[in-house]
Amino acid sequence: MRIFLFLFIGCWSYAQQSTFVDFKTLDASIHIDAMDHKVKGEVKYVFEVKNPIDTIKIDAQKMIFKEVKINDKSVRFVNLGKNLKLFEGYTLGPNILTFTYEAKPKQTLYFNGDFSSSVISNQQIWTQGQGKYTSHWLPSFDDVNEKVLFNLKFSFDKRYQVISNGILKKEIRKGNEMEWQYSMKKPMSSYLVMVAIGDFRNTIQSSKSGIPLQYFIQPKDTAKFEATYRYSKRIFDYLEKEIGVKYPWKVYKQIPVEDFLYAGMENTSATLFSEDFVVDAIGFNDRNYINVNAHELAHQWFGDLVTAKSGTHHWLQEGFATYYAMLAEKEIFGDDYFYHQLYRTSLQLRNASKTDTIPVLNEKASSLSYYQKGAWALHVLRESIGAKAFKSVVKTYLKKYQYQNVTTDDFLTEVKKVAPEFNTEDFKKRWLLDYHFQTEEANLVLRKSPFLQRLFEVQQLRKNTFVENKEQFKSLMNSTLYYPIKTEILYQIKDLPFEDKKEFLLLALQSKDVKVRQAVAEFTDEIPVEFKASYETLLDDSSYDTKEIALIRLFNSFPDSQLDYLQKAKDWKGNNDLGLRTTMLFLSQKAIGLDPNLSLKYKNELFDYTNSKYESSIRQNALQAAVQLTPIDDQVLLNLVQATTHFKWQFSKFAKEYLRQLMTLDSYKERFQNLLPSLPTAEQQQLDKLLHDKRE
């Protein structure tokens, strides 16, 4: 799975009072209560009143305020639960606002794990403020046009590491707590403020330009460090050179956190990303951090340094980040990889344009439009005016609008200056205002790739008979061409009798390419006995995905060998979601002749993974498997109900939909009704809604 399964468009809020008031700096001392999920803080804002204004607003969701002072004098204020409103005490020119506050956020600041335990394991606290949500834990500004210089101090248990934006200036011991003092040198929008707390270790490298690159990881994952952060320094150095503008902040940190809501988040100077991308050398071949890594880093320029004025222009952030991530991957994996990604996204966009009638320049556009169509628009522009001119445009655009907010026309004006012959209005009309994907123009771009030209030729062979294609297929399978051409051949022959395709399957298995061998696993539904030994070699591939596919196919095809396959897989774990492990445990319950004690041990392990002490990705895989077993365990059903209240909306949505499916069966509906009284209040409410099919 790639980043596009995780990406998200936040809700954005825009200019309200910034033409009248300019908030300059925030200095805050913040204490986070992990046991009670509370935040307390002392805040000092320096702001300038530029024009007379009746009321000044600071966004603050469900907070309590005390000791509110302006210029060291107590002032009256209004707190309606969504913001702090000030209407006296300030004058034209500079002013100082101070106050204390308390909040118990229901979102944005997430508490993960059991902080009552004396043992530190997976306990973490982290933020996800995309769009306008930082105001749930820190009094700030939902308006992205209000850029502030943030300096934050955090007090917390000294056994943990606390990470925030900017340079760590000091660490001060205060009994059992530590105070971490972070300082920013340049202003940013409030949605980019972050904090992450957990048990982390870190390694520091230096970029070619001298920027400290700080990579964090949990102690349990130290063996996965190299594979997780592979190419990170190379990506940084490449993007800084390709963009042509020096990285705009003093440090760059990357922190993986558990149960993160999305693939990654480009908080200024400190990217948070999903623990799912923490991988070992084998997992790297299935799902690696490269694209997310480059995407979030590109945002440090496109989004953090220069921010869109409104949601209409959101592609200036996501389109740019997506495109520069693709360019970084091109640097690492080559031209064929790059053009194959362009081709794949072009297919998505062509299909989407049949139903998606919202163009890129619309705040209601889909993520596919903002990200992929935005990236395609930039590639077409770069191809049209040339890479050198494109780089010049980007450089002048970023320097002119650094630490400011922009519109699409601001960017296109810079294009026109560098390439006056280029028709920016026509470009805007076709690529940004038209909901159709410009297929013909895209095809001209794609055909610049010799690899894609060959792939298209092979796709056209679908019209021929196998006999007509056989010799050409053989030649291509023996070539060193990029893997999609070979997987296309395997796809075309998948429904042929085994004797006809045997030669090509064996050629594919001789390949060292993980993707080619994986295609054999995927496209072989029936495994003849004579092919069994060859197919079994897939169980040793450097891909957990391939291992899982092969294990399932072999287990179902050869009942007499089931115990042998379980023995081979007995220590397999797989990626962080334990999908491979879960599959083995599930199959063990179907195995013929497995020792009853071992079967029970495996079943209990599977059921245990449905528990709330595990990450949502592990639980989801385990729940999907466990609920299929008969008889189903009541505790598994209770854990499924508990999942409906999880803060990760993707996981809670899965749990609700799964429960709705089960409710269609009277036997399950009755069981859930019997379990209802034993549940905590929040879970009772969720289950009651589902029992009565009250959709949210």
Side-chain angles (χ1 to χ4, degrees), residues 137-152:
W137 70 276
L138 178 68
S140 52
F141 302 96
D142 295 346
D143 175 8
V144 300
N145 294 281
E146 183 70 82
K147 295 203 172 198
V148 178
L149 200 158
F150 289 87
N151 297 296
L152 302 176

Side-chain angles (χ1 to χ4, degrees), residues 63-111:
M63 295 183 180
I64 298 171
F65 292 95
K66 295 179 180 178
E67 303 176 30
V68 179
K69 297 181 179 181
I70 295 179
N71 300 326
D72 211 29
K73 293 183 179 179
S74 297
V75 296
R76 293 174 297 168
F77 61 92
V78 174
N79 178 12
L80 297 178
K82 291 187 177 181
N83 44 56
L84 171 66
K85 291 186 176 180
L86 305 166
F87 51 88
E88 65 178 21
Y90 48 83
T91 60
L92 287 173
N95 296 268
I96 296 175
L97 166 68
T98 58
F99 56 80
T100 62
Y101 78 97
E102 182 177 319
K104 194 168 185 178
K106 299 297 183 184
Q107 64 180 83
T108 311
L109 183 69
Y110 296 96
F111 297 79

Side-chain angles (χ1 to χ4, degrees), residues 278-290:
V278 176
V279 295
D280 60 18
I282 295 177
F284 181 90
N285 295 322
D286 297 320
R287 173 194 290 177
N288 59 62
Y289 177 50
I290 302 298

Side-chain angles (χ1 to χ4, degrees), residues 8-14 16 59-61 82 107-108 128-138 140-144 189-192 265:
F8 121 103
I9 300 296
C11 298
W12 291 75
S13 181
Y14 299 97
Q16 303 163 30
D59 295 298
Q61 305 293 327
K82 291 187 177 181
Q107 64 180 83
T108 311
Q128 171 56 16
Q130 175 78 31
K132 61 175 185 178
Y133 298 115
T134 296
S135 58
H136 284 263
W137 70 276
L138 178 68
S140 52
F141 302 96
D142 295 346
D143 175 8
V144 300
S189 302
S190 296
Y191 78 92
L192 297 167
M265 177 60 200

Side-chain angles (χ1 to χ4, degrees), residues 435-448:
Y435 70 87
H436 292 101
F437 182 69
Q438 305 301 310
T439 300
E440 291 186 11
E441 190 172 358
N443 285 341
L444 290 174
V445 171
L446 293 173
R447 289 190 177 278
K448 292 182 179 181

Side-chain angles (χ1 to χ4, degrees), residues 308-325:
K309 282 187 176 180
S310 71
T312 299
H313 308 286
H314 193 47
W315 81 282
L316 292 172
Q317 296 175 191
E318 299 302 347
F320 271 87
T322 301
Y323 185 53
Y324 275 97

Side-chain angles (χ1 to χ4, degrees), residues 328-341:
E329 287 187 299
K330 179 183 177 184
E331 168 75 7
I332 294 169
F333 300 126
D335 284 1
D336 290 350
Y337 179 94
F338 173 76
Y339 275 100
H340 189 231
Q341 296 308 311

Side-chain angles (χ1 to χ4, degrees), residues 451-659:
F451 150 68
L452 282 183
Q453 288 183 37
R454 198 63 183 274
L455 177 61
F456 296 155
E457 291 169 2
V458 175
Q459 289 173 343
Q460 290 301 311
L461 296 178
R462 296 180 188 183
K463 301 174 183 177
N464 301 343
T465 65
F466 172 64
V467 173
E468 291 174 312
N469 292 334
K470 187 174 181 180
E471 289 306 313
Q472 189 171 355
F473 280 175
K474 189 183 300 185
S475 174
L476 291 168
M477 291 299 294
N478 281 309
S479 73
T480 58
L481 291 169
Y482 194 43
Y483 82 87
I485 291 174
K486 299 179 181 180
T487 58
E488 168 65 22
I489 293 171
L490 294 172
Y491 173 78
Q492 290 187 30
I493 66 173
K494 68 183 180 69
D495 295 325
L496 293 177
F498 177 73
E499 285 305 316
D500 288 341
K501 63 184 179 183
K502 176 182 177 181
E503 178 183 10
F504 298 97
L505 295 178
L506 292 174
L507 281 174
L509 288 180
Q510 290 172 17
S511 169
K512 294 181 180 180
D513 193 304
V514 170
K515 296 298 183 183
V516 174
R517 290 175 58 84
Q518 190 173 99
V520 175
E522 290 178 327
F523 296 149
T524 308
D525 294 325
E526 295 183 9
I527 308 170
V529 173
E530 63 179 291
F531 190 53
K532 179 185 177 186
S534 296
Y535 192 93
E536 285 176 338
T537 64
L538 295 167
L539 295 173
D540 297 314
D541 270 26
S542 295
S543 163
Y544 294 127
D545 290 347
T546 302
K547 287 174 182 282
E548 185 174 357
I549 296 167
L551 177 62
I552 294 170
R553 296 274 167 87
L554 288 165
F555 185 92
N556 292 330
S557 298
F558 303 104
D560 292 344
S561 299
Q562 287 178 347
L563 299 187
D564 293 333
Y565 297 137
L566 291 178
Q567 175 63 22
K568 184 174 182 64
K570 66 183 177 67
D571 296 322
W572 288 0
K573 294 294 183 182
N575 286 309
N576 283 342
D577 63 0
L578 297 184
L580 181 57
R581 183 67 180 173
T582 299
T583 294
M584 189 282 291
L585 296 174
F586 175 76
L587 293 177
S588 75
Q589 302 308 294
K590 307 291 184 180
I592 300 170
L594 184 64
D595 177 81
N597 292 326
L598 185 57
S599 177
L600 179 61
K601 176 185 175 184
Y602 283 157
K603 182 171 75 172
N604 288 337
E605 182 182 349
L606 177 62
F607 287 177
D608 184 54
Y609 288 144
T610 68
N611 194 287
S612 60
K613 64 186 176 183
Y614 295 101
E615 266 203 281
S616 60
S617 58
I618 296 173
R619 294 178 65 192
Q620 183 163 327
N621 285 328
L623 284 165
Q624 286 175 313
V627 172
Q628 296 180 53
L629 299 178
T630 304
I632 186 62
D633 183 76
D634 275 353
Q635 187 57 52
V636 170
L637 295 179
L638 289 171
N639 289 342
L640 179 58
V641 175
Q642 193 276 338
T644 65
T645 63
H646 198 276
F647 64 76
K648 187 170 183 176
W649 64 267
Q650 299 95 329
F651 182 48
S652 63
K653 180 181 179 182
F654 150 78
K656 291 169 188 175
E657 291 302 319
Y658 207 174
L659 278 166

